[in-house]
Amino acid sequence: MSEDLEELQLLAEQAARLGGQILQEWAPRFTSREKSPANLVTEADEASQQAIFDLIHSRCPEHRFLGEEGLLQDAGDSPWRWIIDPLDGTSNYVHRFPYYAVSIGLERAGALVVGVIFDPNRDEMFSARLDGGATLNGAAIGPSVESEIGRAMCMASLPVKAKREHPAVQRFLKVLDHAQTVQRTGSAALNLCCVACGRIDAFWSSSLKPWDQAAGALIVQESGGRVTKADRSLFDVDKPDLLATNGSALHATIGALLCDGGTAD
């Protein structure tokens, strides 16, 4: 297949829609098993990933792959790596809470170049490619302009079954003291999309895997938002440290709160 980013973006969109269709077909009849405490995985998850992999691999057989459900194809020296989450928001899916998505990111030589997230419940396709902007169902999107934390709506991801003493919980509570509201939704991919299209103002996490954040990070960046580590240093998709905001002064304010000794002033 051509290495044209627009073609690869269209392939990612096709694969994400296929994965979403499989999730919806399985929804009424799935069975579940424990992967780890309070972190359920379903047969639908694995079926979605297999279909996504088969489609992309058939067009890009030399590319490398990394996926949540044990997918690791890293042979060869290809600069291309697909990072796939076939069901982001598994617990939501299991409980029939309609906030989950398919997330597909693509790297070239370690840089994110394509990001696609499909929400099958709302038929919303968030899509971006490097230097090509970000869209929702084909229309350009951009983040909010809110810069005051007291008026900001934020979201956060916390580790599974984290106790109150956990540093991530303490950071959550610290921001909660200053923000208008802080939510926890169960889908990092959709949270990042919400930052990108202005539905929320900020999202952070210190517990994500590459497949949770790859596509969404690029979508936020291409929408005009900002993605860094919590200390505002360079974001690394392979590290569990992400702060995504609309790119206003809010970014520095929340970053200071998340880091030891920070204040909202």
Side-chain angles (χ1 to χ4, degrees):
M1 182 175 182
S2 165
E3 293 186 350
D4 178 80
L5 286 187
E6 188 171 0
E7 289 186 26
L8 292 167
Q9 181 183 17
L10 292 172
L11 174 60
E13 291 177 3
Q14 181 184 357
R17 198 171 289 279
L18 174 62
Q21 176 184 338
I22 290 171
L23 295 181
Q24 299 305 76
E25 289 173 352
W26 270 90
R29 57 189 175 92
F30 69 85
T31 61
S32 64
R33 57 183 172 82
E34 289 284 347
K35 182 168 63 173
S36 63
N39 187 1
L40 298 171
V41 65
T42 65
E43 294 176 36
D45 198 334
E46 295 167 347
S48 174
Q49 178 168 281
Q50 188 63 51
I52 292 167
F53 171 76
D54 288 345
L55 175 59
I56 297 176
H57 186 256
S58 70
R59 306 270 195 92
C60 307
E62 304 303 318
H63 289 192
R64 298 180 294 129
F65 291 83
L66 175 67
E68 181 181 19
E69 294 308 313
L71 175 60
L72 178 61
Q73 184 161 315
D74 208 24
D77 56 359
S78 171
W80 301 92
R81 180 174 72 152
W82 293 88
I83 304 174
I84 299 168
D85 192 341
L87 172 52
D88 185 77
T90 306
S91 293
N92 289 347
Y93 179 74
V94 168
H95 289 281
R96 308 298 179 90
F97 179 66
Y99 197 80
Y100 52 86
V102 178
S103 177
I104 302 175
L106 175 62
E107 286 181 330
R108 179 177 58 195
L112 292 168
V113 294
V114 169
V116 167
I117 294 172
F118 180 58
D119 177 350
N121 290 294
R122 297 168 185 79
D123 193 30
E124 290 188 336
M125 179 70 74
F126 294 87
S127 186
R129 69 176 181 274
L130 185 64
D131 299 326
T135 60
L136 167 53
N137 291 344
I141 56 174
S144 73
V145 296
E146 184 57 64
S147 60
E148 296 293 331
I149 192 167
R151 295 196 296 264
M153 181 174 183
C154 306
M155 291 189 185
S157 290
L158 298 176
V160 174
K161 287 195 172 181
K163 298 185 182 301
R164 184 180 180 87
E165 303 77 32
H166 194 287
V169 177
Q170 292 302 306
R171 288 191 291 270
F172 179 95
L173 295 173
K174 190 170 186 179
V175 179
L176 185 62
D177 284 339
H178 297 277
Q180 184 178 82
T181 184
V182 182
Q183 308 285 346
R184 183 188 183 197
T185 62
S187 172
L190 288 181
N191 291 347
L192 287 163
C193 290
C194 286
V195 173
C197 70
R199 292 174 182 170
I200 66 171
D201 306 302
F203 167 65
W204 73 86
S205 177
S206 57
S207 57
L208 298 179
K209 300 295 186 181
W211 46 80
D212 298 315
Q213 56 188 356
L218 183 68
I219 292 170
V220 171
Q221 290 170 332
E222 287 297 321
S223 76
R226 186 180 178 192
V227 180
T228 66
K229 294 179 179 178
D231 65 3
R232 283 91 80 205
S233 62
L234 189 65
F235 172 73
D236 182 344
V237 72
D238 291 307
K239 305 294 183 183
D241 187 350
L242 172 143
L243 171 60
T245 73
N246 57 16
S248 72
L250 197 61
H251 197 91
T253 302
I254 294 177
L257 287 169
L258 295 177
C259 295
D260 291 343
T263 70
D265 299 327

